[in-house]
């Protein structure tokens, strides 16, 4: 049974006709073509499907799309502004924190929400913050480096 | 692909209770969805209707009363962790919520869901057992308040009726002389299901154990208090030999409930060691 969903994705108000039982992950990828959000385990364990809902890291594979109507959803596609990458995206590129890239969107969004709450974290705090995002290439060292290097960049105006 | 269902978002508790009364076991209540969506996808449940309870104000609050604290059923673990009220008067619960899954799971998962899902490994349950928490249950038949401990029928089987809603959980504020201690054993600290957990609340008076409450999680089918160990320790002088005897009472109780399993040679000494450690910490014995 299809229904009209009102979603706000990356700052845009959308009304879309979708099957009412779809997950947010399915709607983002299949109906909106936002394939930056990845389907990993589909069980809430790997964090590859992480998006931000009202600014908080959210598992889109465990969220029914109807449950987030009228909330602000941010996907990796919504991070760059006016063609300029987000400081975290730049940091991931500079530090070589991307191997296969599958965990990267979720990793960056989790890190974004975390740095907004804690702009100057310790290495240990970064590791805890990304404990729900698995990297199967095990490139954690560079990911942690990238997040640490991005921390405080915004306040420095970089 | 998840099979189709109707989805309703009641704005009042009365509306929610009416829907549950009308649909009974053809409806399911959804809050965080971290367990429910997986069951939907696996076809383990096929509800006609999902009732989203995350917009009911009564279920979303953390309230401080005169001598108690009340937490709404759809308050998330992240919200519990950042609540000063819970940190001040029920720190052992804050600690438990901070250990659930991952940051993402804590943003979605709720206290009510953790209880009603009735997993033997539910992180918040042993702390709620030693806090002697009560659950406020509402249905069209009326309201009742029952101990959280009576909400479990078996592994993943809640005693909540299909037409009932878990509105809130409350517990008495812990006094200054009552210290909690929680130990959780899992493969890793983050994103791992608990294999064993020990929750202790201890009231100390000089070198006496004035009162003690012990509960263990993940190693018994349903949560319960370790009454024999508690009565052995209560009103006694703190003593390491006594601690050892009490921890053996806990391991015997565990084996009584589960029988001897392949994992018992590991679990028995480990549960004993962790019970001793948890009591030592709650007593403030840093030796």
């Amino acid at each position: 049974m299809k229904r009209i969903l009102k979603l706000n994705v990356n700052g845009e108000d959308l009304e879309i006709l979708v099957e009412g039982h779809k997950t947010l992950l399915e709607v983002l990828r299949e109906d909106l073509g936002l394939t930056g959000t990845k389907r990993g385990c589909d069980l809430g364990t790997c964090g590859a499907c992480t998006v931000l809902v009202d600014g908080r890291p959210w598992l889109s594979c465990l969220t029914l799309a109807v449950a987030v109507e009228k909330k602000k959803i941010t996907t990796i596609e919504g991070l760059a502004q006016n063609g300029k990458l987000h400081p975290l995206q730049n940091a991931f590129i500079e530090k070589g924190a991307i191997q296969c890239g599958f965990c990267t969107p979720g990793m960056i969004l989790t890190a974004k929400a975390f740095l907004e709450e804690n702009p100057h974290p310790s290495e240990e705090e970064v590791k805890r913050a990304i404990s729900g995002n698995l990297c199967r290439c095990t490139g954690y060292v560079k990911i942690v480096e990238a997040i640490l290097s991005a921390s405080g960049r915004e306040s420095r105006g970089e | 692909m998840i099979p189709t269902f109707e989805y309703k978002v009641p704005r009042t508790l009365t509306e929610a209770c009416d829907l549950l009364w009308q649909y009974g076991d053809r409806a399911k209540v959804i809050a965080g969805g971290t367990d429910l969506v997986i069951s939907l996808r696996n076809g383990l449940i096929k509800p006609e209707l999902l009732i989203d309870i995350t917009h009911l104000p009564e279920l979303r609050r953390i309230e401080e009363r005169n001598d108690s604290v009340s937490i709404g059923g759809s308050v998330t673990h992240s919200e519990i962790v950042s609540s000063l009220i819970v940190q001040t008067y029920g720190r052992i619960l804050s600690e438990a919520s901070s250990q659930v899954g991952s940051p993402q799971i804590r943003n979605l998962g709720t206290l009510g869901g953790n209880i009603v899902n009735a997993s033997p490994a539910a992180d918040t349950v042993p702390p709620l057992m030693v806090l002697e928490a009560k659950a406020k249950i509402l249905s069209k038949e009326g309201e009742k308040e029952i101990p959280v401990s009576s909400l479990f029928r078996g592994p993943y089987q809640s005693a909540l009726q299909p037409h009932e809603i878990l509105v809130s959980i409350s517990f008495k504020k812990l006094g200054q002389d009552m210290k909690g201690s929680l130990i959780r054993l899992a493969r890793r600290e983050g994103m791992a299901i608990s294999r064993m957990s020990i929750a202790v609340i201890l009231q100390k008076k000089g070198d006496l154990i004035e009162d003690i409450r012990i509960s263990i999680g993940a190693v018994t089918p349903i949560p319960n208090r370790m009454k024999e160990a508690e009565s052995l320790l209560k009103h006694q002088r703190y003593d390491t030999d006594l601690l050892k005897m009490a921890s053996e009472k806990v391991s015997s109780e565990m084996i009584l409930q589960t029988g001897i399993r392949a994992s018992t040679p590991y679990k028995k000494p480990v549960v004993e060691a962790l019970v001793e450690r948890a009591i030592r910490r709650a007593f403030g014995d840093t030796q």
Side-chain angles (χ1 to χ4, degrees):
Chain A
M1 188 175 51
K2 288 202 173 190
R3 62 185 283 166
I4 293 172
L5 279 187
K6 290 182 184 170
L7 295 178
N8 180 295
V9 182
N10 299 328
E12 202 179 336
D13 282 317
L14 304 169
E15 275 191 36
I16 48 171
L17 187 66
V18 295
E19 281 96 359
H21 54 272
K22 278 192 165 181
T23 61
L24 177 59
L25 175 68
E26 289 164 339
V27 170
L28 289 171
R29 290 183 58 88
E30 295 163 13
D31 297 281
L32 299 175
L34 297 171
T35 53
T37 307
K38 303 302 180 198
R39 168 181 280 144
C41 65
D42 235 7
L43 292 166
T45 304
C46 75
C49 71
T50 302
V51 296
L52 301 182
V53 172
D54 290 339
R56 314 198 90 173
W58 215 261
L59 296 166
S60 64
C61 78
L62 294 187
T63 301
L64 297 170
V66 286
V68 287
E69 275 198 294
K70 294 167 198 155
K71 292 186 175 164
K72 288 194 187 317
I73 298 152
T74 307
T75 70
I76 193 71
E77 290 89 347
L79 241 55
Q81 295 295 321
N82 306 317
K84 215 178 146 211
L85 290 180
H86 186 275
L88 267 165
Q89 292 174 305
N90 281 324
F92 269 63
I93 295 167
E94 283 164 20
K95 295 287 174 188
I98 308 159
Q99 292 186 43
C100 81
F102 203 80
C103 73
T104 312
M107 204 62 95
I108 288 181
L109 289 166
T110 300
K112 179 180 186 286
F114 168 66
L115 289 182
E116 276 164 18
E117 254 180 49
N118 186 352
H120 304 286
S122 65
E123 187 179 328
E124 185 59 30
E125 288 170 327
V126 170
K127 287 181 181 169
R128 284 184 185 276
I130 59 168
S131 59
N133 293 80
L134 299 188
C135 168
R136 290 301 298 269
C137 311
T138 68
Y140 292 108
V141 171
K142 287 176 186 298
I143 291 169
V144 173
E145 273 176 26
I147 297 170
L148 282 170
S149 94
S151 67
R153 276 190 185 198
E154 265 171 304
S155 58
R156 294 199 300 267
E158 287 172 38
Chain B
M1 185 65 108
I2 292 171
T4 192
F5 48 77
E6 251 193 291
Y7 195 86
K8 290 192 174 164
V9 188
R11 298 286 156 174
T12 64
L13 266 176
T14 317
E15 202 185 322
C17 288
D18 284 348
L19 282 170
L20 276 175
W21 189 254
Q22 189 189 334
Y23 282 81
D25 57 10
R26 292 177 294 133
K28 273 277 174 193
V29 161
I30 182 164
T34 53
D35 290 304
L36 193 92
V37 171
I38 295 173
S39 303
L40 282 170
R41 189 179 290 132
N42 294 344
L44 294 174
I45 50 166
K46 288 176 183 155
E48 279 174 39
L49 172 69
L50 284 186
I51 304 173
D52 180 338
I53 54 164
T54 59
H55 293 263
L56 299 170
E58 294 88 343
L59 274 76
R60 295 281 309 126
R61 295 184 199 131
I62 297 179
E63 283 177 294
E64 183 182 351
R65 310 228 170 98
N66 284 340
D67 63 345
S68 68
V69 171
S70 160
I71 304 173
S74 55
V75 169
T76 65
H77 295 294
S78 295
E79 288 163 342
I80 290 173
V81 172
S82 56
S83 161
L84 273 178
I85 298 174
V86 186
Q87 278 173 34
T88 312
Y89 300 112
R91 190 169 187 85
I92 194 167
L93 180 61
S94 309
E95 253 179 78
S97 281
S98 79
Q99 294 170 343
V100 172
S102 64
Q104 288 94 319
I105 296 277
R106 295 194 285 275
N107 285 340
L108 272 84
T110 64
L111 183 60
N114 206 221
I115 296 166
V116 171
N117 190 52
S119 160
D123 285 307
T124 61
V125 171
L128 291 172
M129 296 289 294
V130 291
L131 286 166
E132 301 190 326
K134 292 198 168 78
K136 187 168 146 186
I137 312 281
L138 190 71
S139 77
K140 215 160 154 65
E141 291 172 315
E143 188 183 301
K144 62 181 177 186
E145 199 171 49
I146 57 169
V148 166
S149 57
S150 65
L151 278 173
F152 306 93
R153 195 178 288 157
Y156 304 98
Q157 280 188 311
S158 156
L160 204 71
Q161 297 298 311
H163 61 281
E164 292 178 327
I165 291 181
L166 172 55
V167 177
S168 60
I169 303 298
S170 64
F171 56 85
K172 278 204 172 140
K173 288 179 181 173
L174 286 185
Q176 288 295 321
D177 57 342
M178 299 178 83
K179 300 281 180 233
S181 148
L182 178 67
I183 295 178
R184 179 188 202 263
L185 187 72
R187 287 213 168 139
R188 309 171 289 278
E189 269 186 49
M191 202 63 238
I193 290 170
S194 164
R195 293 300 173 95
M196 185 184 291
S197 70
I198 320 287
V200 169
I201 285 178
L202 188 149
Q203 188 178 21
K204 186 177 169 179
K205 196 174 174 189
D207 58 356
L208 276 188
I209 298 172
E210 184 71 9
D211 194 9
I212 186 161
R213 309 174 197 160
I214 306 168
S215 181
I216 58 175
V219 286
T220 52
I222 58 169
N224 37 58
R225 288 267 297 277
M226 298 292 113
K227 292 284 186 187
E228 279 196 38
E230 290 178 6
S231 52
L232 190 71
L233 292 162
K234 212 168 157 176
H235 304 307
Q236 298 298 314
R237 204 166 295 280
Y238 178 82
D239 171 85
T240 44
D241 288 338
L242 190 65
L243 237 61
K244 194 167 168 16
M245 280 166 66
S247 74
E248 284 163 4
K249 292 267 183 211
V250 173
S251 63
S252 323
E253 178 66 32
M254 174 184 81
I255 292 166
L256 193 70
Q257 288 192 29
T258 60
I260 302 262
R261 295 187 174 194
S263 57
T264 305
Y266 170 77
K267 280 184 179 166
K268 185 182 179 295
V270 173
V271 80
E272 288 169 4
L274 294 187
V275 164
E276 282 188 52
R277 191 179 303 169
I279 299 171
R280 278 205 307 272
R281 284 187 191 167
F283 193 83
D285 174 1
T286 49
Q287 292 289 299

